[in-house]
Amino acid sequence: MTVSPSDHRDGFVPFPAEVAESYRAAGYWTGKTLADLLRDTAVRYPDRPALITGDGVCDYAELDAEVDRWACGFSTLGMTPGDRVVLHLPNVAEFVPVLFGLLRAGIIPVLALPAHRRTEIEHLARLSGAVGYLIADRQGDFSYTGLAADLVAELPALRHVLVLGDPGPFTALATVPRMAPAPKEVSAPDIDPSDIALLLVSGGTTGLPKLIARTHDDYGYLCRASAEVCGIGPDDVYMATLPAAHNFTLSSPGIIGCVWAGAAITLIDDPSPENAFAVIERHRVTFTSVVPPLARLWCTATEWEQADLSSLRLLQAGGSKLAEVNAREVGPALGARLQQVFGMAEGLLNYTRDEDDEDIVCRTQGRPLSPADEIRIVDEEGNDVGPGEEGELLTRGPYTIRGYYRAPEHNARSFTPDGFYRSGDLVRRLPSGHLIVSGRIKDVINRGGENIACDEVEEHLLAHPAVRHAAAVGLPDPELGERTCAFLVVDGELPSLPALRRFLTDRGLAAFKLPDELRAAAALPVTAVGKIDKKALRAGA
């Protein structure tokens, strides 16, 4: 499906008008754009540190002015409000002003993750109707400009490729004309806060990732409320440890929440204890967000790393479930308060709170952020379960979408007729309202906080000439939570794991989706209705 670049609201599912008005009346939605959040903070805290980089510190007044220049530059290139641009940058200082520059110009960023490769990026660009692709030249051994060349050949709508670093045949980001714009009241486009602000990428539980359209109203509320729940203020320093384009890093409260609160932000692209601890010590970082495998690694690393971590007051853990035994290690090892965060890019966020006792913090994944969050826990027939019983989590509220972007078939399955999102998460709810996550009902592997759709991996595996049947299964892993095991029925010899991973990489599969191990099978077990019996495969493994 290739979409015209001009029709950005086609396929967008808005909140029902009466529901939207109720959220405005309750004060959840304030009519501010995400770029307004930065402008307001620059007025309140012009001299406070905003962005800490290798070159020094940029205050909020300077950041706001730089964002104006980026917005002017993108407009000068011919990009117009409503255009979509795939933003595919790693954790570099430029990420923040470029993101807000796009937002201020009314251009819609499509937030791709650094690990995404051709399969995902071509899909996202085609589905969104993107006119631009904004990248770094390379990361490690991977050339993003090579990927861009392939995309431009396939997608005629992709008119702008802007590159941080060596541009090759494309346009260097540094050469985008960033002159001081006209007065703000003249230069800023008229942006409807109920319109799409940005497009997030789903966890990809059903094949290629879906696009999640977040509005200025709903995403702004999410970021503000998250900063308030976490107690974030202008004296805080946030370290963006996970990919900046991830919903967790962006909004929970993340980069945008910090901008609203006037906190300082620093970004790292190497989350190893050696590097991360050094940055915490150097910049007196007060909080950061990590996935459970990284939390476990950091706790263990305190046995040999000697950095001063005394400034770190809050460690957020999310993306997948943190085991209770590991949760209890965080405070003693790192000296920081643990906050469990459970949520989804589609909306609902749950946090443990400062006032929660240790058992609640270590055993649960938090309770809903907003008093307007509506929760249902249902059985396989869609009936509400009894108190404390396990069921699928359904939710709706002032920051939970009412439908994926340009995905009517998915929407028919993923949303109830009255607007509840079917999360696919199995949970239990305590009398306090806190949720305990017990698993997933969808065929997905949660590998170190990244959701991997089994059917997508299997489709690529079946393209190998030696593979007749394939099943991707998540097996327990002490570091990753789950690792990906590929069970293969093959003609002849089983390919080696390195050879198969090279084959899948050449097909454009992202590195985090590659199998961690292979197992040969004479045949794949099936259920009574003929589906592959993955429970039997896990049990046998």
Side-chain angles (χ1 to χ4, degrees):
M1 174 183 180
T2 302
V3 182
S4 162
S6 62
D7 50 1
H8 77 278
R9 289 185 65 90
D10 286 355
F12 168 53
V13 183
F15 288 81
E18 67 279 8
V19 173
E21 187 52 43
S22 73
Y23 292 149
R24 293 188 188 96
Y28 300 123
W29 295 0
T30 62
K32 297 274 190 180
T33 70
L34 296 182
D36 288 339
L37 302 185
L38 171 59
R39 182 85 83 207
D40 291 348
T41 299
V43 171
R44 293 198 316 272
Y45 304 117
D47 301 323
R48 296 296 300 177
L51 194 57
I52 303 171
T53 73
D55 297 327
V57 178
C58 169
D59 65 33
Y60 269 100
E62 293 167 334
L63 177 60
D64 188 53
E66 179 69 0
V67 165
D68 273 341
R69 289 190 287 271
W70 277 114
C72 183
F74 294 135
S75 298
T76 301
L77 291 177
M79 298 182 190
T80 60
D83 279 347
R84 278 79 68 208
V85 170
V86 178
L87 182 57
H88 198 190
L89 287 177
N91 283 21
V92 290
E94 290 83 358
F95 182 94
V96 177
V98 164
L99 170 68
F100 277 92
L102 292 168
L103 293 169
R104 184 158 289 168
I107 299 163
I108 300 171
V110 182
L111 279 299
L113 298 175
H116 284 150
R117 294 294 181 260
R118 176 171 174 170
T119 297
E120 295 90 358
I121 299 300
E122 181 175 350
H123 166 72
L124 297 175
R126 193 183 296 277
L127 179 61
S128 67
V131 304
Y133 185 37
L134 208 158
I135 55 175
D137 54 359
R138 62 187 311 107
Q139 190 174 28
D141 295 332
F142 184 76
S143 169
Y144 288 97
T145 53
L147 170 57
D150 292 340
L151 293 179
V152 168
E154 294 290 331
L155 302 172
L158 205 61
R159 303 190 302 270
H160 306 282
V161 177
L162 307 179
V163 184
L164 177 64
D166 181 359
F170 303 113
T171 302
L173 192 61
T175 66
V176 172
R178 286 178 288 150
M179 299 172 290
K184 296 180 177 65
E185 64 270 20
V186 176
S187 63
D190 186 15
I191 300 172
D192 180 356
S194 68
D195 203 350
I196 302 169
L198 47 80
L199 291 164
L200 300 174
V201 176
S202 75
T205 58
T206 52
L208 288 168
K210 298 176 288 295
L211 284 173
I212 299 167
R214 305 303 298 263
T215 69
H216 295 275
D217 273 329
D218 81 73
Y219 213 56
Y221 169 60
L222 162 65
C223 297
R224 298 192 317 272
S226 293
E228 289 175 345
V229 161
C230 298
I232 304 306
D235 293 328
D236 277 301
V237 179
Y238 176 64
M239 183 172 72
T241 303
L242 302 175
H246 195 289
N247 184 58
F248 192 7
T249 318
L250 201 60
S251 69
S252 308
I255 290 169
I256 300 177
C258 284
V259 164
W260 174 79
I265 302 160
T266 189
L267 299 93
I268 62 171
D269 60 0
D270 173 12
S272 67
E274 180 181 14
N275 181 63
F277 288 5
V279 173
I280 292 170
E281 179 178 39
R282 183 182 316 123
H283 298 313
R284 307 304 293 159
V285 169
T286 61
F287 81 110
T288 190
S289 41
V290 299
V291 290
L294 196 55
R296 293 192 290 267
L297 175 61
W298 282 12
C299 287
T300 302
T302 57
E303 298 176 7
W304 65 81
E305 292 289 343
Q306 300 301 312
D308 176 8
L309 305 180
S310 60
S311 64
L312 190 66
R313 66 172 182 84
L314 180 67
L315 184 81
Q316 297 181 301
S320 60
K321 184 174 180 178
L322 181 65
E324 181 180 348
V325 63
N326 300 124
R328 294 188 183 278
E329 295 171 347
V330 169
L334 298 173
R337 177 171 66 87
L338 171 67
Q339 181 179 59
Q340 295 223 42
V341 184
F342 161 55
M344 53 212 70
E346 290 82 356
L348 178 71
L349 277 176
N350 301 270
Y351 293 92
T352 56
R353 268 58 166 192
D354 193 23
E355 64 268 22
D356 290 336
D357 63 36
E358 183 181 5
D359 279 348
I360 287 290
V361 171
C362 294
R363 290 178 49 241
T364 80
Q365 282 64 63
R367 58 184 173 86
L369 169 66
S370 173
D373 282 321
E374 300 177 71
I375 298 294
R376 292 183 62 203
I377 302 174
V378 303
D379 61 20
E380 293 180 357
E381 282 73 45
N383 301 311
D384 292 286
V385 302
E389 293 183 6
E390 181 185 82
E392 183 187 5
L393 171 65
L394 275 58
T395 183
R396 67 183 180 185
Y399 59 95
T400 296
I401 62 170
R402 292 302 182 104
Y404 289 109
Y405 188 62
R406 296 174 173 168
E409 293 182 1
H410 288 301
N411 291 340
R413 296 191 297 269
S414 299
F415 294 84
T416 66
D418 55 351
F420 278 86
Y421 170 60
R422 304 179 192 272
S423 72
D425 293 297
L426 294 172
V427 303
R428 293 187 294 112
R429 179 164 45 183
L430 302 183
S432 63
H434 291 79
L435 301 178
I436 297 176
V437 179
S438 50
R440 295 278 297 171
I441 64 169
K442 298 178 181 178
D443 192 11
V444 64
I445 298 165
N446 191 315
R447 182 186 185 277
E450 297 283 3
N451 286 334
I452 301 170
C454 294
D455 58 352
E456 180 190 5
V457 177
E458 289 161 359
E459 182 179 348
H460 283 281
L461 288 168
L462 289 168
H464 192 285
V467 175
R468 285 194 288 123
H469 303 290
V473 173
L475 300 181
D477 186 277
E479 297 300 324
L480 297 170
E482 287 186 299
R483 67 184 184 276
T484 303
C485 179
F487 289 85
L488 303 179
V489 178
V490 298
D491 293 319
E493 292 187 9
L494 184 72
S496 70
L497 180 60
L500 187 68
R501 287 169 64 95
R502 284 194 298 272
F503 171 81
L504 297 175
T505 298
D506 289 343
R507 286 182 56 82
L509 195 65
F512 70 87
K513 299 179 181 179
L514 300 176
D516 298 296
E517 67 174 280
L518 297 181
R519 299 198 183 194
L524 297 179
V526 295
T527 65
V529 295
K531 293 185 177 181
I532 295 174
D533 191 343
K534 294 193 174 181
K535 287 185 179 180
L537 288 173
R538 290 188 191 95

Short mmCIF file of all heavy atoms in Angstrom, two decimals, residues 2-8 73-86 102 107-108 125-126 128-135 148-163 167 169-172 176:
data_model
loop_
_atom_site.label_atom_id
_atom_site.label_comp_id
_atom_site.label_asym_id
_atom_site.label_seq_id
_atom_site.Cartn_x
_atom_site.Cartn_y
_atom_site.Cartn_z
N THR A 2 0.82 2.02 -1.06
CA THR A 2 1.55 3.28 -1.13
C THR A 2 0.54 4.41 -1.06
O THR A 2 -0.47 4.40 -1.77
CB THR A 2 2.36 3.39 -2.42
OG1 THR A 2 3.27 2.29 -2.48
CG2 THR A 2 3.17 4.69 -2.44
N VAL A 3 0.79 5.39 -0.19
CA VAL A 3 -0.18 6.44 0.08
C VAL A 3 0.36 7.76 -0.44
O VAL A 3 1.54 8.05 -0.33
CB VAL A 3 -0.48 6.52 1.59
CG1 VAL A 3 -1.52 7.59 1.86
CG2 VAL A 3 -0.97 5.18 2.11
N SER A 4 -0.53 8.58 -0.99
CA SER A 4 -0.15 9.90 -1.45
C SER A 4 0.37 10.73 -0.28
O SER A 4 -0.16 10.66 0.83
CB SER A 4 -1.38 10.61 -2.05
OG SER A 4 -1.17 11.99 -2.13
N PRO A 5 1.43 11.52 -0.51
CA PRO A 5 1.98 12.31 0.57
C PRO A 5 1.07 13.43 1.06
O PRO A 5 1.35 14.05 2.07
CB PRO A 5 3.28 12.87 -0.02
CG PRO A 5 3.15 12.75 -1.48
CD PRO A 5 2.23 11.62 -1.74
N SER A 6 -0.03 13.72 0.38
CA SER A 6 -0.80 14.91 0.72
C SER A 6 -1.93 14.68 1.72
O SER A 6 -2.46 15.61 2.30
CB SER A 6 -1.39 15.53 -0.55
OG SER A 6 -2.27 14.61 -1.17
N ASP A 7 -2.35 13.45 1.92
CA ASP A 7 -3.59 13.18 2.67
C ASP A 7 -3.29 12.59 4.05
O ASP A 7 -3.66 11.47 4.34
CB ASP A 7 -4.50 12.25 1.86
CG ASP A 7 -3.77 11.02 1.34
OD1 ASP A 7 -2.58 10.87 1.62
OD2 ASP A 7 -4.40 10.19 0.67
N HIS A 8 -2.69 13.39 4.93
CA HIS A 8 -2.19 12.82 6.18
C HIS A 8 -3.30 12.37 7.12
O HIS A 8 -3.07 11.52 7.97
CB HIS A 8 -1.27 13.83 6.89
CG HIS A 8 -1.97 14.94 7.60
ND1 HIS A 8 -2.42 16.07 6.96
CD2 HIS A 8 -2.30 15.09 8.91
CE1 HIS A 8 -2.99 16.87 7.83
NE2 HIS A 8 -2.94 16.31 9.02
N GLY A 73 14.16 25.87 8.41
CA GLY A 73 14.95 25.14 7.42
C GLY A 73 14.15 24.06 6.72
O GLY A 73 14.22 23.92 5.48
N PHE A 74 13.37 23.29 7.47
CA PHE A 74 12.56 22.24 6.84
C PHE A 74 11.54 22.86 5.89
O PHE A 74 11.27 22.32 4.81
CB PHE A 74 11.86 21.39 7.90
CG PHE A 74 12.80 20.59 8.76
CD1 PHE A 74 12.64 20.54 10.14
CD2 PHE A 74 13.85 19.88 8.20
CE1 PHE A 74 13.51 19.80 10.93
CE2 PHE A 74 14.73 19.14 8.98
CZ PHE A 74 14.55 19.10 10.36
N SER A 75 10.96 23.98 6.29
CA SER A 75 9.99 24.65 5.41
C SER A 75 10.67 25.17 4.16
O SER A 75 10.10 25.10 3.06
CB SER A 75 9.32 25.80 6.18
OG SER A 75 8.60 25.32 7.31
N THR A 76 11.89 25.68 4.30
CA THR A 76 12.63 26.20 3.15
C THR A 76 12.90 25.10 2.13
O THR A 76 12.92 25.34 0.92
CB THR A 76 13.96 26.82 3.61
OG1 THR A 76 13.67 27.89 4.52
CG2 THR A 76 14.75 27.37 2.44
N LEU A 77 13.07 23.86 2.61
CA LEU A 77 13.30 22.73 1.70
C LEU A 77 12.05 22.36 0.91
O LEU A 77 12.12 21.56 -0.03
CB LEU A 77 13.78 21.51 2.48
CG LEU A 77 15.18 21.56 3.10
CD1 LEU A 77 15.45 20.29 3.90
CD2 LEU A 77 16.24 21.75 2.03
N GLY A 78 10.91 22.91 1.31
CA GLY A 78 9.68 22.60 0.60
C GLY A 78 8.75 21.66 1.35
O GLY A 78 7.71 21.26 0.82
N MET A 79 9.13 21.28 2.58
CA MET A 79 8.23 20.45 3.39
C MET A 79 7.12 21.33 3.94
O MET A 79 7.35 22.48 4.33
CB MET A 79 8.99 19.79 4.53
CG MET A 79 10.09 18.85 4.08
SD MET A 79 10.90 18.07 5.51
CE MET A 79 12.30 17.28 4.71
N THR A 80 5.92 20.80 4.00
CA THR A 80 4.76 21.57 4.43
C THR A 80 4.03 20.87 5.57
O THR A 80 4.19 19.66 5.77
CB THR A 80 3.79 21.78 3.25
OG1 THR A 80 3.35 20.50 2.77
CG2 THR A 80 4.47 22.53 2.11
N PRO A 81 3.23 21.62 6.35
CA PRO A 81 2.47 20.98 7.43
C PRO A 81 1.66 19.79 6.94
O PRO A 81 1.01 19.85 5.89
CB PRO A 81 1.56 22.12 7.92
CG PRO A 81 2.33 23.37 7.62
CD PRO A 81 3.02 23.08 6.31
N GLY A 82 1.74 18.71 7.70
CA GLY A 82 1.06 17.47 7.32
C GLY A 82 1.94 16.47 6.60
O GLY A 82 1.61 15.29 6.54
N ASP A 83 3.08 16.94 6.05
CA ASP A 83 4.03 16.01 5.44
C ASP A 83 4.57 15.06 6.51
O ASP A 83 4.72 15.43 7.68
CB ASP A 83 5.20 16.76 4.81
CG ASP A 83 4.87 17.32 3.44
OD1 ASP A 83 3.85 16.92 2.86
OD2 ASP A 83 5.66 18.17 2.94
N ARG A 84 4.89 13.83 6.09
CA ARG A 84 5.49 12.87 7.00
C ARG A 84 6.95 12.67 6.67
O ARG A 84 7.33 12.59 5.49
CB ARG A 84 4.76 11.52 6.93
CG ARG A 84 3.49 11.46 7.77
CD ARG A 84 2.33 12.15 7.08
NE ARG A 84 1.89 11.43 5.89
CZ ARG A 84 1.31 12.02 4.85
NH1 ARG A 84 1.12 13.32 4.80
NH2 ARG A 84 0.91 11.29 3.81
N VAL A 85 7.77 12.56 7.72
CA VAL A 85 9.21 12.34 7.57
C VAL A 85 9.60 11.21 8.52
O VAL A 85 9.32 11.27 9.72
CB VAL A 85 10.01 13.61 7.91
CG1 VAL A 85 11.50 13.30 7.99
CG2 VAL A 85 9.76 14.70 6.88
N VAL A 86 10.22 10.17 7.98
CA VAL A 86 10.71 9.07 8.82
C VAL A 86 11.98 9.56 9.53
O VAL A 86 12.98 9.87 8.89
CB VAL A 86 11.00 7.82 7.99
CG1 VAL A 86 11.56 6.70 8.89
CG2 VAL A 86 9.73 7.34 7.28
N LEU A 102 10.66 19.65 13.52
CA LEU A 102 9.61 19.06 12.70
C LEU A 102 8.23 19.36 13.29
O LEU A 102 7.30 19.77 12.57
CB LEU A 102 9.81 17.55 12.59
CG LEU A 102 11.03 17.08 11.81
CD1 LEU A 102 11.27 15.58 12.02
CD2 LEU A 102 10.90 17.38 10.31
N ILE A 107 5.24 19.34 10.60
CA ILE A 107 5.62 18.13 9.86
C ILE A 107 5.54 16.96 10.83
O ILE A 107 5.93 17.07 11.99
CB ILE A 107 7.03 18.29 9.28
CG1 ILE A 107 7.07 19.47 8.30
CG2 ILE A 107 7.49 17.01 8.59
CD1 ILE A 107 8.46 19.96 7.99
N ILE A 108 5.04 15.83 10.37
CA ILE A 108 4.76 14.69 11.25
C ILE A 108 5.93 13.71 11.23
O ILE A 108 6.16 13.05 10.22
CB ILE A 108 3.46 13.99 10.81
CG1 ILE A 108 2.29 14.97 10.87
CG2 ILE A 108 3.19 12.77 11.67
CD1 ILE A 108 1.01 14.44 10.27
N ALA A 125 7.63 3.94 5.53
CA ALA A 125 7.63 5.05 4.59
C ALA A 125 6.48 4.92 3.59
O ALA A 125 5.80 5.90 3.26
CB ALA A 125 8.96 5.12 3.86
N ARG A 126 6.25 3.70 3.12
CA ARG A 126 5.19 3.47 2.13
C ARG A 126 3.82 3.71 2.77
O ARG A 126 2.95 4.39 2.19
CB ARG A 126 5.30 2.05 1.58
CG ARG A 126 4.46 1.79 0.34
CD ARG A 126 4.58 0.33 -0.09
NE ARG A 126 5.93 -0.02 -0.51
CZ ARG A 126 6.43 0.20 -1.72
NH1 ARG A 126 5.68 0.81 -2.63
NH2 ARG A 126 7.65 -0.17 -2.01
N SER A 128 2.97 5.42 5.46
CA SER A 128 2.73 6.81 5.90
C SER A 128 2.69 7.80 4.75
O SER A 128 2.21 8.92 4.92
CB SER A 128 3.82 7.24 6.89
OG SER A 128 5.09 7.33 6.26
N GLY A 129 3.19 7.40 3.59
CA GLY A 129 3.31 8.35 2.49
C GLY A 129 4.39 9.38 2.74
O GLY A 129 4.26 10.56 2.40
N ALA A 130 5.50 8.95 3.35
CA ALA A 130 6.56 9.87 3.75
C ALA A 130 7.20 10.55 2.55
O ALA A 130 7.45 9.93 1.52
CB ALA A 130 7.62 9.12 4.55
N VAL A 131 7.50 11.85 2.73
CA VAL A 131 8.23 12.59 1.70
C VAL A 131 9.70 12.74 2.07
O VAL A 131 10.50 13.18 1.25
CB VAL A 131 7.63 14.00 1.48
CG1 VAL A 131 6.16 13.90 1.13
CG2 VAL A 131 7.84 14.89 2.71
N GLY A 132 10.07 12.38 3.32
CA GLY A 132 11.44 12.56 3.76
C GLY A 132 11.93 11.42 4.63
O GLY A 132 11.14 10.70 5.24
N TYR A 133 13.25 11.28 4.67
CA TYR A 133 13.92 10.25 5.46
C TYR A 133 15.13 10.91 6.09
O TYR A 133 16.00 11.42 5.38
CB TYR A 133 14.32 9.08 4.56
CG TYR A 133 14.91 7.89 5.26
CD1 TYR A 133 14.45 7.46 6.50
CD2 TYR A 133 15.93 7.14 4.65
CE1 TYR A 133 14.99 6.34 7.13
CE2 TYR A 133 16.47 6.02 5.26
CZ TYR A 133 16.00 5.62 6.50
OH TYR A 133 16.54 4.52 7.11
N LEU A 134 15.17 10.96 7.41
CA LEU A 134 16.21 11.69 8.12
C LEU A 134 17.03 10.68 8.93
O LEU A 134 16.51 10.01 9.81
CB LEU A 134 15.55 12.72 9.05
CG LEU A 134 16.35 13.97 9.36
CD1 LEU A 134 15.43 15.10 9.80
CD2 LEU A 134 17.37 13.69 10.44
N ILE A 135 18.34 10.58 8.62
CA ILE A 135 19.17 9.49 9.12
C ILE A 135 20.55 9.99 9.53
O ILE A 135 20.97 11.08 9.18
CB ILE A 135 19.35 8.40 8.03
CG1 ILE A 135 19.93 9.02 6.74
CG2 ILE A 135 18.07 7.67 7.77
CD1 ILE A 135 20.25 8.03 5.64
N ALA A 148 19.01 4.10 2.36
CA ALA A 148 18.26 5.20 1.75
C ALA A 148 18.26 5.09 0.23
O ALA A 148 17.25 5.36 -0.42
CB ALA A 148 18.84 6.54 2.19
N ALA A 149 19.39 4.71 -0.35
CA ALA A 149 19.47 4.57 -1.81
C ALA A 149 18.48 3.53 -2.31
O ALA A 149 17.82 3.72 -3.34
CB ALA A 149 20.89 4.21 -2.22
N ASP A 150 18.35 2.43 -1.57
CA ASP A 150 17.38 1.40 -1.96
C ASP A 150 15.96 1.94 -1.87
O ASP A 150 15.12 1.67 -2.74
CB ASP A 150 17.53 0.17 -1.06
CG ASP A 150 18.83 -0.58 -1.27
OD1 ASP A 150 19.44 -0.40 -2.35
OD2 ASP A 150 19.23 -1.34 -0.37
N LEU A 151 15.68 2.70 -0.82
CA LEU A 151 14.32 3.21 -0.62
C LEU A 151 13.92 4.21 -1.71
O LEU A 151 12.81 4.17 -2.22
CB LEU A 151 14.21 3.88 0.76
CG LEU A 151 14.33 2.98 1.97
CD1 LEU A 151 14.21 3.81 3.25
CD2 LEU A 151 13.25 1.90 1.96
N VAL A 152 14.85 5.13 -2.01
CA VAL A 152 14.55 6.15 -3.02
C VAL A 152 14.23 5.51 -4.36
O VAL A 152 13.36 5.98 -5.11
CB VAL A 152 15.73 7.14 -3.13
CG1 VAL A 152 15.58 8.02 -4.34
CG2 VAL A 152 15.83 7.99 -1.87
N ALA A 153 14.89 4.41 -4.67
CA ALA A 153 14.64 3.71 -5.93
C ALA A 153 13.24 3.09 -5.97
O ALA A 153 12.65 2.92 -7.04
CB ALA A 153 15.70 2.63 -6.15
N GLU A 154 12.71 2.76 -4.80
CA GLU A 154 11.41 2.09 -4.72
C GLU A 154 10.25 3.05 -4.45
O GLU A 154 9.11 2.74 -4.77
CB GLU A 154 11.44 1.03 -3.61
CG GLU A 154 12.37 -0.13 -3.87
CD GLU A 154 11.88 -1.02 -4.99
OE1 GLU A 154 10.65 -1.09 -5.19
OE2 GLU A 154 12.71 -1.62 -5.68
N LEU A 155 10.53 4.20 -3.81
CA LEU A 155 9.47 5.08 -3.33
C LEU A 155 9.63 6.47 -3.95
O LEU A 155 10.35 7.32 -3.42
CB LEU A 155 9.52 5.17 -1.80
CG LEU A 155 9.39 3.85 -1.05
CD1 LEU A 155 9.64 4.06 0.44
CD2 LEU A 155 8.01 3.24 -1.27
N PRO A 156 8.95 6.76 -5.02
CA PRO A 156 9.11 8.06 -5.68
C PRO A 156 8.66 9.23 -4.82
O PRO A 156 9.11 10.36 -5.04
CB PRO A 156 8.26 7.92 -6.95
CG PRO A 156 7.39 6.74 -6.74
CD PRO A 156 8.09 5.84 -5.79
N ALA A 157 7.79 9.00 -3.85
CA ALA A 157 7.33 10.11 -3.00
C ALA A 157 8.42 10.58 -2.05
O ALA A 157 8.34 11.69 -1.50
CB ALA A 157 6.11 9.67 -2.18
N LEU A 158 9.47 9.77 -1.85
CA LEU A 158 10.52 10.09 -0.89
C LEU A 158 11.51 11.08 -1.53
O LEU A 158 12.50 10.69 -2.13
CB LEU A 158 11.23 8.80 -0.47
CG LEU A 158 11.93 8.79 0.88
CD1 LEU A 158 10.95 9.03 2.01
CD2 LEU A 158 12.63 7.46 1.10
N ARG A 159 11.19 12.37 -1.41
CA ARG A 159 11.93 13.41 -2.12
C ARG A 159 13.14 13.93 -1.36
O ARG A 159 14.05 14.49 -1.95
CB ARG A 159 11.01 14.59 -2.43
CG ARG A 159 9.78 14.23 -3.23
CD ARG A 159 9.05 15.49 -3.69
NE ARG A 159 8.65 16.35 -2.58
CZ ARG A 159 7.50 16.25 -1.95
NH1 ARG A 159 6.63 15.31 -2.29
NH2 ARG A 159 7.19 17.09 -0.98
N HIS A 160 13.14 13.81 -0.03
CA HIS A 160 14.19 14.41 0.79
C HIS A 160 14.87 13.33 1.63
O HIS A 160 14.21 12.65 2.41
CB HIS A 160 13.61 15.47 1.73
CG HIS A 160 12.79 16.52 1.05
ND1 HIS A 160 13.35 17.58 0.37
CD2 HIS A 160 11.44 16.67 0.94
CE1 HIS A 160 12.38 18.34 -0.12
NE2 HIS A 160 11.22 17.82 0.21
N VAL A 161 16.17 13.18 1.47
CA VAL A 161 16.97 12.34 2.37
C VAL A 161 18.01 13.24 2.99
O VAL A 161 18.88 13.78 2.30
CB VAL A 161 17.63 11.17 1.62
CG1 VAL A 161 18.51 10.37 2.58
CG2 VAL A 161 16.58 10.26 1.00
N LEU A 162 17.90 13.45 4.30
CA LEU A 162 18.80 14.32 5.04
C LEU A 162 19.67 13.48 5.94
O LEU A 162 19.16 12.62 6.68
CB LEU A 162 18.00 15.33 5.87
CG LEU A 162 16.95 16.14 5.11
CD1 LEU A 162 16.20 17.07 6.05
CD2 LEU A 162 17.59 16.92 3.97
N VAL A 163 20.99 13.71 5.89
CA VAL A 163 21.94 12.81 6.53
C VAL A 163 22.79 13.57 7.54
O VAL A 163 23.41 14.58 7.21
CB VAL A 163 22.85 12.14 5.48
CG1 VAL A 163 23.77 11.12 6.15
CG2 VAL A 163 22.02 11.47 4.38
N PRO A 167 26.96 12.68 3.70
CA PRO A 167 25.67 12.47 3.04
C PRO A 167 25.71 11.55 1.84
O PRO A 167 24.65 11.14 1.35
CB PRO A 167 25.28 13.89 2.62
CG PRO A 167 26.59 14.56 2.37
CD PRO A 167 27.54 13.98 3.40
N PRO A 169 25.27 10.60 -1.71
CA PRO A 169 24.56 11.28 -2.80
C PRO A 169 23.39 12.15 -2.31
O PRO A 169 22.67 12.73 -3.14
CB PRO A 169 24.02 10.10 -3.64
CG PRO A 169 23.82 9.01 -2.64
CD PRO A 169 24.91 9.16 -1.62
N PHE A 170 23.20 12.25 -0.99
CA PHE A 170 22.03 12.94 -0.47
C PHE A 170 22.40 14.30 0.13
O PHE A 170 23.48 14.81 -0.11
CB PHE A 170 21.32 12.04 0.54
CG PHE A 170 20.93 10.70 -0.03
CD1 PHE A 170 21.53 9.52 0.42
CD2 PHE A 170 19.99 10.62 -1.04
CE1 PHE A 170 21.18 8.30 -0.13
CE2 PHE A 170 19.63 9.40 -1.60
CZ PHE A 170 20.23 8.23 -1.14
N THR A 171 21.53 14.87 0.92
CA THR A 171 21.73 16.20 1.49
C THR A 171 22.24 16.11 2.92
O THR A 171 21.64 15.40 3.74
CB THR A 171 20.40 16.99 1.47
OG1 THR A 171 19.92 17.08 0.12
CG2 THR A 171 20.59 18.40 2.03
N ALA A 172 23.30 16.81 3.20
CA ALA A 172 23.83 16.83 4.56
C ALA A 172 22.88 17.63 5.46
O ALA A 172 22.45 18.73 5.10
CB ALA A 172 25.22 17.44 4.59
N VAL A 176 21.19 22.17 5.78
CA VAL A 176 19.82 22.67 5.76
C VAL A 176 19.84 24.13 6.19
O VAL A 176 20.40 24.46 7.24
CB VAL A 176 18.91 21.84 6.70
CG1 VAL A 176 17.53 22.48 6.81
CG2 VAL A 176 18.79 20.41 6.19
#
